[in-house]
Every structure is written in structure tokens, then in C-alpha cells.
Amino acid sequence: MDGVATRLVLPGLAGTAPLPALAQAETLMPMRGDMLGVGGVSLMFVGLVVFAATTSILYVRERARWQRREGELAAGLEAARGHQERVEALLAADRQVVISWNGPKADAMIEGDSGFLGQHGAGLALAYGSWAAPAEAKRLELATEALKERGEAFAFTFRTRTGNFVDAEGRPVAGRAVIRLREVGGERARTLMLETELSRLTADHAGLSALLSALPQPVWTRDRDGKLSWVNAAYARAVEAGDDRAVVEGGLELFDRAERERAARARAEGRVFATRAPAVIAGQRRIVDIIETPTPAGHAGIATDMSELEAVRADLQRQMDAHAGTLDRLKTAVAVFDASQRLVYHNSGYETLWQLDPAFLESRPTDGEILDRLRTERRLPELGDYRSWKAEVHAVYTAPRASEDWWYLPDGRTVHVVASPHPQGGVTYLFDDETERFTLESRFNALSRTQRETLDSLREGVAVFGSDGRLKLSNPALCQLWKLAPERVSAAPHIDELVGLCRPLFPEDGVWTEIRSAVAGVRDAREDYRCHMERRDGTVLDCTATPLPDGATLITFADVTAGVNVERALTERNEALEKASRLREEFVHHVSYELRSPLTNIIGFAQLLGEETIGALNEKQRDYAGHIVRSSGALLAIINDILDLASIDNGALALDLGEVDVAATIDQAVAGLQDRLADSKLRLAVEIAPQTGPLRADGKRLRQVLFNLISNAIGFSQPGQTVTVAARRVGGEIRITVADEGRGIPAEVLEKVFDRFESHSLGSRHRGVGLGLSIVRSIVELHGGRVEIESAPGTGTRVTAVFPPEGLPISDAAE
């Protein structure tokens, strides 16, 4: 290769060019022969050739592959365009809208024509409420949210506001939420329309059937052959059948044969059958109006009971007769003339007022004939021109409205005449004898003068205000009490002006405001108002505002200064007495507690002595120990009663309410008194009614009540008598009665038996401190009950504790 110029031809280049590097190497080779041989240069050249060839091959192959890929992409693009055209053609084939979302938060893509929804903008298709009914719009919104959020598919058909039917279908497609709204047309739309109309007609038919079934009148339908096909419940009741099916199956007819034959002829002729005939309905004979009319399926009929209408007509006639009778009993004279001015009706008052012959009135005389006869008998006003006056009287027959007049008769009577023309002609006269009224008016005026003088003589200030708030009537005492000038009062001042005159003596605005409200009528209801006025000058007045029937208001001021001073003295005395009573109760309460502790010790030691636990006792010592125990026990019971009363007074006694067996409680109370019954030689009778039942009460306090009542009965009974304890339920209340056959209680003592420390032996051996019945009443009232006592000398005593049906509520008992 020495001396040979080497060129490298690369594929794709325009020509060849010598390689400078090889030329330089060729020049330098002789100089470096020892370092680089011919083999190295050849190897380098071969490598370059291989590299160039490989690069050219790769370029050619890649270029061919990309050309194939470009062809495939062009074919795919053409296929996609064809698919898009087919999809658009498919969408355009039906009136529909397709809405899609690429994600829950993505904007909606809307394709298609939304004109069938009644919307002219595609974006309004999502405004469901604008083209769908509210219920369907809500349903669509929920289904859309479920599809977008959870991918739940849906499909249903509904109706738009314009009446079109729309198929709504939603489902997830390739990760997108897609909804298609398509208008239903053709046969399916007509089918849906018919189904809707069928549903409406079915509902209407059901409503009409229900209405006919509920009617109180018998209703029926017949087929084309005249047989009953349906009846309502009223028809079944009318023929006394079990139900409508039994009527139809049995062919039970409501009417007699004659009416049925006439109805059959009307059906054959195709006309409406209507008549009024008797019929037996539910066992009673009634008068009914029957109507049966042709229908497309046969005939339908209804029977209306007219018996009540006939009864109403008869009743109306009776009422008219009664009204005529009422007019006959009126003092007002009534005369009715027809259009020809002849008398057609008069009452007995008319005949009595004018003292006319009944036969003459029954002949139906004219109005002029009656006036002429009354003038002849001097029962009409004496006038100079009778003819003109008569013409004026008869002018009412053509007058448009009623007229009034006063007739002053020669016998001194005054008659008020009201003439009322009839629209159809004629006149009704009303004659009222007002002579007595004028007499009463004269007497009233005299009475008013008497009342005026009476008011002027009263010491109380009196003021009467009209409905306009101005003073209408007053007496001199009003001016004296409030130091008012008579000329100011006589000028009929307004209530506000009068208050301003009285305010210097009594400046309380609240009281004056109430008085103004009572006079002006601004309150919700007109009612009395009373107040107490303590004026600056020391005078005390009682003010009363009373509404009068005519809208006026009467205000009185009474000077009660002396009475108030006495009342204050009595109040102070009463407060002092109440304070003394409280001190007494506190003292008794304190002393009772102080006595209870040592008394308990005495009882304990006496019981130890009586039981001979510390040594034997002789008979007398045992007797003394027993007396100590009994006396101490009685004293302890008295102290306990005092403590109970003190607790009740302070509100500290709480009830432990529960279900209490009345019979068992009575037995427990009697068990502690058996010794006294035996010692007093008394019989005990216990009567418990079976319906008594349990009682909601405090069992311990109920025993205490029974113990005290039975102890009292024993104390006031004589040997051989009977003490009765009875319990029964009356009207929900439980009544427990303890009765004895003792001397009884006088009326003057009976009023005080429940007072504390009131003790009356009434000739018996009973002695006590007077606390038993007081404790009984207090405990029973704590239970919400009451105590009743019946007694009279010689008849014994009955004390009854009455407890409410359910007992006292727990919350009230705790309080």
C-alpha cells in the first residue's frame, strides 16, 4: 500500500474524499517503520470499513421500519376517523344525549342533541330540575353521584316536564362514567303513554268505586241482560244481605215487582228510568227517588231516600204554623196587604189594638176601608185634611223603602207605625203601642234625677268616663277628695287631663297607667281593676274601675284611711302572735329533744329492773317497774308526736312511699292495742272490702295514723261496745274508717278536735294531750288525702282517712 492514496466512500455521501489522517500516516510511515507496521494500518482501515458498513445497514433497516410504522399509524388514523364517523352517525340516528366524565372531579363532556329535553343548550342537560319532574330530577342526581363516585350502573325510564319519555342509562366504560339519555319514540312511547293513561284511569276507577261504595245511598250496576253486576255496601245493608257479593250472586232486588217491570221496560227502550216509589230499606218502609241510566256496559242506578225531605217539608209547614202562632202572641200588631191593597193576614194583636170586628177582618177588606172605619170610630189621629193624609199613607205601596210614622190617637195612645213594601207588591204594617214606653221614659228621667241626687250625697268620689275617655258624670265628693275646682270637672275633661290634676297628690305612674287603660279599653278584656292609693298627705283611698255595659267606665274613690290604720294595728298584733307561736313551737321542739334522751335511759333501766336481770324483785317492786315502763312509754309517744308535728311544720318529714297492704297494716296497728281492748272489755270489728287493694303510702306513718285513731276510739268507748275499722275503695279513693259507739262529740267541740293540744274527755276516762288527731290529719294530708269526721252526741264518732287513688307522687313526698 506504499505510495497509494486511499479513499473511503461512505454510503449516502455525494462523492469520495481523501482521508487526511491516512495521508499524514502515509507520510510518516517511513519515519516510524520501526514502531507501526503495515498490519496495524490495515487493521485500522478494516475497522473503519466495518464501522461504516454497519452504520449504513442499521440506518437502512431503521428507515424501513419507521416507514412501515408510519404506514400503520396512517391506517389506524384512517380507521379511527371512520369509527368516529360511524359513532356520530349512530348518535344522530336517535334523539339522545351522551354525558361522560373522566373522573369524579372532571368536567362533563356532553354530546348529542338535547332538544328533546326541552333545552336549547347542551350544558343545560345536566340541570335535571329544569326539564324533569322534581322526584325524577332527584333520582337522576343520586344515580349520577353513585355512578361517578362508586361506579354503580343504573337504567330506568321517566317522563319529562314536556311529557316525553326518556330512557336514562348510566355505566362505567373504560374508566369513564357515561350516561346516555335517549328519547323514547315510536311504538314504545305509545305503549308507555297508554300504560300511564291506564294507571290514571285505574286510579280514577278505584277512587270512583270507593266513593260509590262509601255513599249512604244504594248504588248498583247491571249488565246488558239486566242482571245485577255490582252493588255498594248501602245496597247490601238495604236488602239485609251479608255483603255485596251475596247480593250479586243471589240477585236480591231492592224494589217491588211493579217498579222492576217499569225499569225493565225503560232498559229495553234505552231510556233513563226515574221515579219516586216506596221501598223497604233495612226493614223500614221509606220513600226513595230511583234513577237508572244506560251505560256502555249496561245500566247504573241510585236510590235516594226522600223520607227525610218529606219530613222536612212537613216540619217546615209546622214551623210556618208555629210562626203564625207566635205572631198571634206578639203585642205588636201585624197586618199584611197584597198588591191590590186587600188584607191577607193579621194577627190577634192587630185585632186587639184597633178593636175591629173579626168578621169584618175575615172579609178581606182593603186598606182604605179599614182606615175609613177607624176614622169613623175615632181611632185615628184627628187631622184637618184626612184625604191628603190617607194618600200619604197609601204612597208606601209604591215606595222603594220602608217608612215610619207616629200616630197620636184621640184616646191618648201613641202608636209607632212601620210600613214595609213588598218587592212583589203589597205592604206589611207593624203597629207598636209605645204609650207604655213613653211612660217608662218619664219614670226613667225621674229616676235619673233621683240617682243624681243620690250620687251627690255620697261620701265616695264617683267619676263616669264615656267610651271616648271624657268625664260624663261626677259628684262633689270627687272634687273634695282630690281638691279639684268644680268648673274644671264640669268641663268634661279627658282622663289624661284629670290624671294630671290628681298627680300632685299621688304621683305613682303605674297606677294611673292602669286606670287610663281601664277607661280607654286598651286591655285584652274589660274587667274590674282595683288598687290602693296612699297619697302624700297621708290619706289612703281604695280605687275601683268597673266597666259599664254601654262602654263607659265607672271609677270610685273611697277614703279608707281610718280602716287602714286599724288594719295596720291588727296586722302588727297578728305578726306578734305568729312570732309568739313560732317561739312556742321552737321551745316545744327543743324541750322534746332534751327530754327524749333521759327518758330513753329511764325506760331502759326500768326494763332491766322489770326483767330482774340484776336481782330478784318482790311483787310490789315489779308492779312499780311496770308502771315506770308504761308511763315512760306514754311520755315517749307524746314526745315523738311533738317531734313529728315539728318536723311536719318545718317540712322536714319525708314519706317512704311504697305499696302497702291495707289489711296487714290494720292488723299490725291492732296488735299493739290488744291489751287495751281486753282491759276495756271492747270488741273490735275489722271490715275490709274485697276491692280495696293495695295503697301507695308510707307504711310506718299509716300504722301511726291507725294506732292514733283506734286509741281514740278505745278511750271514748264504754265496756261492751264495738270499735269498727273498715276499709274500702270508692271512686278510686281508698277510705279507711274507724268508728266507735261512744258518747259522740258536740258541735262546738267538733270544730276544734284537730287543733293541737285540744283535749276533751267528754265524760270518759280518756286523757291525752290533744295531739293524736292533729298528727292524723297532718300525715294524711302529706299523702295528698284528707280526714273526715262525723259525730253527734249519743251517736258515736266516725273518723275517715281518705287517700288519693295513686297516692302522692314520689317527688312531692320528697319535698
Side-chain angles (χ1 to χ4, degrees), residues 221-225 293-300:
T221 61
R222 300 179 184 274
D223 56 19
R224 298 183 183 279
D225 297 332
T293 181
T295 65
H299 293 79

Side-chain angles (χ1 to χ4, degrees), residues 524-551:
D524 295 337
R526 286 176 56 82
E527 54 187 15
D528 292 352
Y529 170 71
R530 292 180 173 82
C531 64
H532 202 61
M533 296 181 170
E534 296 186 5
R535 301 194 322 195
R536 288 179 172 178
D537 59 358
T539 304
V540 181
L541 302 178
D542 274 349
C543 174
T544 302
T546 304
L548 299 179
D550 60 351

Side-chain angles (χ1 to χ4, degrees), residues 696-707:
R696 180 174 176 79
D698 187 331
K700 175 183 175 183
R701 297 301 175 185
L702 182 59
R703 287 194 299 273
Q704 186 177 358
V705 168
L706 292 170
F707 186 88

Side-chain angles (χ1 to χ4, degrees), residues 433-510:
D433 189 349
E434 300 288 353
T435 307
E436 184 178 359
R437 186 175 72 83
F438 283 116
T439 303
L440 292 176
E441 185 176 350
S442 176
R443 293 178 182 176
F444 173 76
N445 293 333
L447 181 60
S448 297
R449 289 192 297 270
T450 303
Q451 290 177 345
R452 173 76 261 181
E453 295 175 0
T454 303
L455 285 177
D456 292 345
S457 63
L458 289 176
R459 298 180 59 187
E460 291 83 2
V462 177
V464 177
F465 292 89
S467 57
D468 59 354
R470 292 196 169 275
L471 183 65
K472 303 298 183 183
L473 179 66
S474 64
N475 65 344
L478 179 69
C479 299
Q480 296 171 5
L481 285 175
W482 290 102
K483 299 179 175 56
L484 302 174
E487 58 273 11
R488 297 291 299 271
V489 175
S490 61
H494 194 268
I495 179 63
D496 293 334
E497 183 180 352
L498 190 64
V499 168
L501 296 175
C502 299
R503 191 186 299 275
L505 291 176
F506 186 72
E508 296 291 337
D509 291 337

